Structures are given as structure tokens and as C-alpha cells.
Amino acid sequence: MTSIIAPSLLASDFGNLQRDIEMVNQSEADWFHVDIMDGLFVPNISFGMPVVEAINKYAKKPLDVHLMIVQPERYIDTFHQLGASSISVHIEACPHLHRIIHHIKSLGIKAGVALNPHTSIDTLVDIIDDVDIVNLMSVNPGFGGQKFIPRTLDKIRHLRAIIDSKNLNCLIEIDGGVALNNYEEILHAGANVLVAGNCVFGAKNPHEVIATMKAFNRK
Ligand code: DX5
Ligand code: ZN
């Protein structure tokens, strides 16, 4: 399976959002990663519906929506209507995770569950068969530009072993601190989706960074 590159628009220049979206459209990237923060589940507020609507107007690739919000069940239908191709909710924010995952799937889009760095892979045992994506946070969510937490590599290997032993199609997405000096070991450990914010939008040549990460598949 080839890896999926998902630039995170949180690191884009919001004053030139259309320009940065066009850059991703023209690049080898696969998805747009869209981070929604509510100032409650995480200590930061990112952006809301009108901005996602604007993103969807120009984006020509799937929108991968990552909800870092409390009670995400209140907004699933809204983000679906705004063009999400996948929606991930945090396991720490969902007492009724099974219900919300099946609701997302009933809309015909991919359902993801996101895990904070301290949350064990073992918490997935009774939901892993139902999800399309596991987003393993490799930083504490809330801010772009943080350092990758190395322990994530063991979590990737552990999860990869479970997914392969059960013969599931579930994707492992890694979110936070992904950079040119660690993407190879992340993919080697068994990840499928790389979210990349600052290392793409902070680069002199974002196309080149995306193409380099994508080229791993051809090695
Ligand atoms: C962090 C977000 C990430 C963030 C990644 O809370 O979920 O998607 O944008 O940004 P970088 O790649 O800069 O760590
Ligand atoms: Zn994210």
C-alpha cells in the first residue's frame, strides 16, 4: 500500500489560504488535513465552519477532518456537509465512540479515531474492527510545530501488528512533528498516512518536501 501525505492547513498562511490550497492541489499530496480545535478539548482554537467551507471551495483533494473538540457528535453532520471525506474524533472525548463511528460511516465517509500520546493502543481492542483510520497523535494536540514524541514508534509497531493479524484495512495516521528527519522510520514502523504541517508549509520548497515523503513508496 502506498503512503498517503496529508499537509495540515493549520500551518498554512491564512492570509493566503487559496494560494496554499492551490499549492497542495498541484503537489503530490493526497489529502488536506483540517484541524478543528475548540479551546476546551485542547487549549487552542483553530478555525470553524466558514473557513472549512472556503477550504472545500478550492480543495481538489479529500478533506481529512480532525476534530479536537468535546462532544464531537454535535458536529459530525455539519462537517460532512462541508465536504469532509474522513472525520476523526478523539477516543478521550467520546463516551459513546461506537455510536459516533457508525454514524460517521453511515454518511458514506471514512471514520477515524484519534489517540492522545498517553492513550494506550489497548483501548482500541473493541473498536478497531469498525474504524477506517487510527490517528496516533505524536504530539500533544493543540498546536502545530511541536517535536515528535519518539514513543509513538512503538505504538505504531504495536498497532500495525494488530491490524495485520486481523487482516484489517484500517489506516494508521501519524499526526504531529512529522519531518524529513523522521518520516522514514515512521513509515518503516508501519504507518500509512503522514500529516505534515510546519515541515511542508514552513519549507522553501513545499512541493519538494511532499515529493520526498511520497517517494518512500518507490524505494
Ligand atoms: C496538532 C494537529 C496537527 C498539526 C501538525 O494538534 O492535530 O495536525 O497541525 O502540525 P505539525 O506537522 O507542524 O506538527
Ligand atoms: Zn491533526
Side-chain angles (χ1 to χ4, degrees):
M1 189 195 294
T2 64
S3 58
I4 290 168
I5 311 299
S8 170
L9 288 172
L10 187 66
S12 67
D13 176 355
F14 293 158
N16 289 287
L17 188 54
Q18 186 182 353
R19 180 202 66 190
D20 283 1
I21 291 170
E22 295 297 353
M23 182 282 289
V24 176
N25 283 339
Q26 284 152 29
S27 76
E28 290 186 46
D30 302 277
W31 298 351
F32 287 87
H33 186 76
V34 180
D35 286 308
I36 307 297
M37 305 177 181
D38 65 354
L40 289 170
F41 182 71
V42 289
N44 194 16
I45 297 175
S46 56
F47 48 77
M49 287 75 171
V51 175
V52 179
E53 196 175 351
I55 293 169
N56 191 38
K57 191 166 154 198
Y58 297 108
K60 297 202 174 80
K61 296 176 179 181
L63 302 189
D64 175 42
V65 174
H66 176 196
L67 296 181
M68 285 160 277
I69 66 175
V70 297
Q71 300 179 352
E73 62 278 2
R74 293 179 301 160
Y75 295 108
I76 300 301
D77 291 350
T78 305
F79 284 106
H80 169 244
Q81 283 153 20
L82 288 170
S85 293
S86 51
I87 299 179
S88 292
V89 295
H90 268 264
I91 194 166
E92 302 86 3
C94 295
H96 300 290
L97 184 63
H98 184 273
R99 178 184 291 146
I100 191 166
I101 289 295
H102 282 273
H103 179 61
I104 297 170
K105 285 170 65 149
S106 75
L107 300 171
I109 60 177
K110 286 191 172 67
V113 59
L115 267 62
N116 280 338
H118 76 280
T119 302
S120 168
I121 295 299
D122 296 338
T123 59
L124 294 171
V125 65
D126 290 308
I127 197 72
I128 189 71
D129 297 74
D130 300 324
V131 296
D132 301 302
I133 303 169
V134 176
N135 176 341
L136 292 183
M137 291 303 305
S138 38
V139 298
N140 284 293
F143 303 93
Q146 302 182 78
K147 212 169 156 291
F148 181 84
I149 298 172
R151 166 84 192 140
T152 314
L153 292 169
D154 281 341
K155 292 177 79 175
I156 299 170
R157 285 188 275 264
H158 184 182
L159 183 56
R160 169 55 53 208
I162 294 169
I163 290 172
D164 288 353
S165 73
K166 297 183 124 217
N167 220 356
L168 300 171
N169 286 322
C170 174
L171 299 169
I172 302 178
E173 176 172 44
I174 302 305
D175 190 2
V178 174
L180 287 176
N181 64 6
N182 61 17
Y183 77 97
E184 289 179 301
E185 51 180 348
I186 294 169
L187 293 174
H188 269 303
N192 310 101
V193 184
L194 296 179
V195 175
N198 275 63
C199 90
V200 165
F201 291 102
K204 270 212 179 82
N205 189 341
H207 283 278
E208 205 171 87
V209 173
I210 294 166
T212 302
M213 289 184 172
K214 197 68 191 168
F216 178 90
N217 303 311
R218 297 190 280 269
K219 273 186 192 165

